[in-house]
């Protein structure tokens, strides 16, 4: 009997060692990114640890449906496995299965009430489901658990920036920047809040900082150029608008805006050139160009030409079915000059 027990224990020991060795081989394949071979190796090992690694491997190669199936198997077998649920929930968000993701993160939030990441991702699921109040609630919970949770701070700041609730937006923006001053997303939101509040002088260095941090987007140049113009920095405004035109020389609004800078500088001939360029690329109607040229003519006391240009402007507006009251407004304004 003793020999039998010893033999069984010896067999179990060898089996465990063999399984451990096979798992180590599979892990080595996974670590270097050889996922297909890793999946085959894990399949031979069996068990929940291997199943979780198979899910991760499928996720890595982009076979999301098989990854989800494997994650779900692990979670069903081990309902307390927070790591498997966490990875499953993030993957469900990635493939736009938001209701399922919400269910997973709700469960995780109940399992672990002190984890800010679970609250954040539950907020993300609610945001994608357009449950705004619920998402804001979860982001605030995440921040209560971790005051430096940047992604939650950003989502709250973004929401209040879009809603143009200046004070609320700045509260979360400044909290985030106090923790990480080079967060380009928060710097960008800070600039936008100031821009929307017409604080152009204060917005300028922030937009410039956004560009320094390699957030090289057209809308940043556009708002920076507008701010320069409002701050009477005409040379910088023209430089920014010219960068936009190099990227897209078919955008009529950029030509119009650039013309506005020249007009503000009282460089009327240059303004006319860019208005005409704007009209040349504008489709299908360029009523604004005639309107802007008419105002230039009025400023130059060329009333005859101003009336003619306004007349063309009104004809274009009429094609767009704008109410006649606008025509009267322009005509009366011109007559009183």
């Amino acid at each position: 009997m003793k020999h039998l027990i010893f033999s069984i224990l010896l067999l179990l020991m060898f089996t465990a060692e063999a399984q451990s060795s096979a798992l180590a081989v599979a892990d080595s394949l996974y670590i270097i990114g050889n996922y297909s071979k890793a999946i085959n190796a894990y399949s031979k090992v069996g068990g929940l640890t291997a199943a979780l690694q198979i899910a991760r491997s499928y996720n890595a190669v982009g076979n999301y449906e098989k990854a989800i199936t494997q994650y779900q198997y692990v979670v069903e077998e081990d309902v307390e496995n927070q790591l498997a649920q966490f990875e499953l929930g993030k993957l469900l968000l990635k493939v736009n299965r938001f209701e399922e993701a919400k269910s997973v993160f709700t469960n995780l939030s109940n399992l672990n009430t002190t984890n800010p990441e679970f609250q954040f991702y539950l907020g993300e699921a609610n945001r994608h489901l357009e449950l705004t109040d619920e998402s804001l609630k979860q982001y605030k919970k995440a921040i209560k658990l971790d005051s430096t949770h940047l992604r939650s701070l950003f989502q709250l700041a973004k929401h209040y920036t879009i809603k143009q609730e200046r004070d609320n937006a700045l509260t979360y923006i400044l909290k985030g920047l106090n923790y990480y001053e080079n967060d380009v997303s928060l710097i960008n939101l800070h600039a936008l809040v100031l821009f929307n509040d017409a604080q152009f002088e204060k917005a300028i260095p922030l937009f410039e900082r956004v560009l320094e941090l390699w957030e090289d987007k057209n809308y940043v140049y556009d708002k920076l150029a507008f701010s320069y113009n409002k701050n009477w920095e005409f040379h910088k405004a023209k430089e920014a608008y010219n960068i936009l035109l190099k990227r897209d020389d078919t955008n009529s609004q950029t030509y119009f805006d650039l013309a506005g800078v020249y007009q503000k500088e009282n460089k009327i001939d240059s303004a006319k050139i860019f208005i005409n360029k704007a009209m040349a690329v504008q489709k299908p109607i360029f009523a604004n160009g005639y309107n802007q040229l008419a105002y230039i003519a009025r400023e130059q006391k060329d009333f005859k030409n101003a009336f003619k240009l306004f007349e063309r402007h009104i004809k274009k507006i009429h094609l767009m079915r704008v109410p006649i009251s606008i025509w009267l407004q322009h005509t009366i304004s011109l007559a009183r000059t």
Side-chain angles (χ1 to χ4, degrees):
M1 187 66 179
K2 289 182 179 179
H3 290 295
L4 178 60
I5 294 172
F6 179 76
S7 298
I8 291 172
L9 290 173
L10 194 63
L11 179 62
L12 289 172
M13 184 181 69
F14 283 135
T15 302
E17 286 181 357
Q19 188 177 41
S20 177
S21 177
L23 188 60
V25 171
D27 284 341
S28 67
L29 292 168
Y30 176 83
I31 289 169
I32 62 172
N34 198 343
Y35 299 116
S36 294
K37 287 187 177 180
I39 289 169
N40 291 331
Y42 284 126
S43 297
K44 294 175 182 177
V45 173
L48 291 182
T49 300
L52 180 57
Q53 288 299 103
I54 290 172
R56 289 169 173 165
S57 299
Y58 278 129
N59 193 5
V61 298
N63 193 335
Y64 300 133
E65 291 305 315
K66 284 191 175 182
I68 289 169
T69 299
Q70 285 293 317
Y71 277 124
Q72 288 173 333
Y73 166 73
V74 175
V75 171
E76 287 170 4
E77 294 295 314
D78 182 5
V79 294
E80 299 293 322
N81 192 324
Q82 294 182 33
L83 181 57
Q85 289 185 64
F86 186 46
E87 292 179 13
L88 171 60
K90 289 193 289 185
L91 181 53
L92 289 168
L93 279 177
K94 186 174 184 177
V95 297
N96 302 329
R97 289 164 63 170
F98 303 125
E99 286 286 0
E100 293 173 79
K102 179 179 179 178
S103 177
V104 170
F105 286 114
T106 298
N107 186 55
L108 281 172
S109 298
N110 292 331
L111 281 173
N112 187 341
T113 59
T114 63
N115 190 326
E117 284 291 286
F118 296 164
Q119 300 293 341
F120 168 75
Y121 280 106
L122 180 54
E124 288 290 273
N126 282 320
R127 179 172 66 86
H128 287 294
L129 290 168
E130 299 183 0
L131 300 173
T132 303
D133 290 342
E134 288 299 310
S135 68
L136 297 179
K137 180 181 177 182
Q138 301 310 138
Y139 297 140
K140 289 175 182 178
K141 281 187 177 180
I143 293 169
K144 190 174 181 180
L145 292 168
D146 178 3
S147 62
T148 65
H149 200 275
L150 285 173
R151 284 170 295 167
S152 294
L153 289 166
F154 170 76
Q155 287 298 346
L156 288 165
K158 179 182 175 183
H159 170 80
Y160 290 118
T161 299
I162 292 170
K163 292 292 183 181
Q164 296 197 20
E165 295 184 27
R166 176 183 177 277
D167 292 341
N168 283 330
L170 286 175
T171 295
Y172 294 107
I173 289 168
L174 296 177
K175 278 184 180 180
L177 291 175
N178 185 56
Y179 173 66
Y180 181 41
E181 63 181 0
N182 290 326
D183 188 298
V184 66
S185 298
L186 289 172
I187 295 171
N188 179 53
L189 288 180
H190 194 187
L192 289 173
V193 168
L194 296 175
F195 180 90
N196 292 336
D197 202 37
Q199 297 187 53
F200 302 112
E201 186 175 0
K202 292 182 179 179
I204 286 170
L206 294 174
F207 282 127
E208 290 174 337
R209 183 65 178 143
V210 170
L211 292 174
E212 286 174 10
L213 293 169
W214 305 105
E215 191 71 12
D216 191 24
K217 301 292 178 63
N218 286 355
Y219 81 90
V220 179
Y221 281 105
D222 182 63
K223 293 191 180 300
L224 182 56
F226 186 91
S227 300
Y228 282 141
N229 188 28
K230 287 290 185 179
N231 204 43
W232 299 84
E233 298 181 65
F234 302 128
H235 179 69
K236 288 183 177 180
K238 287 184 284 189
E239 282 185 339
Y241 281 130
N242 279 318
I243 288 172
L244 288 173
L245 289 174
K246 285 180 181 178
R247 296 179 176 189
D248 180 8
D249 61 1
T250 65
N251 190 328
S252 62
Q253 189 58 53
T254 306
Y255 285 112
F256 280 130
D257 291 338
L258 184 54
V261 178
Y262 282 108
Q263 191 175 347
K264 197 170 178 180
E265 284 186 300
N266 203 31
K267 296 180 179 179
I268 303 304
D269 290 339
S270 295
K272 288 180 179 179
I273 289 170
F274 285 103
I275 292 169
N276 284 314
K277 285 184 177 182
M279 293 166 68
V281 299
Q282 191 175 32
K283 297 175 182 179
I285 296 168
F286 39 86
N288 289 338
Y290 286 126
N291 183 46
Q292 203 165 342
L293 287 171
Y295 275 108
I296 289 175
R298 187 182 69 174
E299 289 175 1
Q300 294 179 312
K301 309 300 181 184
D302 185 0
F303 300 117
K304 183 178 180 180
N305 190 35
F307 270 114
K308 188 184 295 184
L309 290 164
F310 265 129
E311 187 177 35
R312 291 183 184 179
H313 170 66
I314 297 304
K315 285 180 180 178
K316 292 295 182 182
I317 286 178
H318 179 68
L319 289 173
M320 293 186 287
R321 299 182 180 179
V322 174
I324 193 65
S325 59
I326 293 180
W327 181 87
L328 289 172
Q329 182 181 343
H330 285 300
T331 304
I332 292 168
S333 174
L334 185 60
R336 286 178 178 174
T337 304

